[in-house]
Amino acid sequence: MIANLEALEVINRQRYNFLKSTCMENGGTIADWKITNFLKDDLLSVQDFVDKSGLDISTLSRQVKRAVEKKLISRNKIEADHRRTLFKITEKGRLLKDEVNRQLDIYDQKLFENWSKEELSMFNILINRVLKNALKW
């Protein structure tokens, strides 16, 4: 039997690979998908992305630039201050976000199919206890 933490690593790697391939099948990358999830229906600046993601501004600027080039998000200048730019999700970006989220929900549901409510509840309690201890480091 595989050790508990090794099992979590395998699950995480499998889920990551599924997410990566699903994003690619839908014309994007994981970074594109994350950006579209941050936007939802909001107008955000690059600094808003930084605040939401915790990534540095240079990394996010590159990711936002690529998402604009792929027409997943659009750049909108503010009338009162043309130096400031806000970004909005496009229909193409919304399609990417919605389809990847739908596929990921199905994947996550399959991970726990045939589990009782009690088993899911106990798992959530235990995994959150492990997480709490991990975050102490």
Side-chain angles (χ1 to χ4, degrees), residues 69-85:
E69 289 169 356
K70 292 179 183 178
K71 299 188 182 343
L72 299 171
I73 63 175
S74 62
R75 179 179 278 128
N76 301 289
K77 296 279 186 191
I78 296 180
E79 286 293 320
D81 183 357
H82 289 288
R83 296 170 298 169
R84 191 146 181 245
T85 301

Side-chain angles (χ1 to χ4, degrees), residues 13-57:
R13 193 170 30 253
Q14 287 291 112
R15 189 175 187 273
Y16 175 85
N17 289 336
F18 176 81
L19 176 59
K20 185 177 177 181
S21 66
T22 303
C23 287
M24 290 179 73
E25 289 168 8
N26 286 280
T29 64
I30 292 175
D32 296 332
W33 169 74
K34 285 181 179 180
I35 284 173
T36 59
N37 271 302
F38 289 136
L39 274 171
K40 298 179 181 152
D41 288 322
D42 301 329
L43 286 170
L44 299 180
S45 67
V46 171
Q47 186 60 50
D48 293 330
F49 282 121
V50 168
D51 295 342
K52 286 184 176 232
S53 71
L55 295 173
D56 65 87
I57 197 157

Side-chain angles (χ1 to χ4, degrees), residues 113-128:
E113 69 184 358
N114 303 320
W115 284 44
S116 69
K117 287 183 181 179
E118 293 80 18
E119 288 171 323
L120 279 172
S121 178
M122 182 56 69
F123 177 76
N124 282 328
I125 290 167
L126 295 174
I127 200 71
N128 280 299

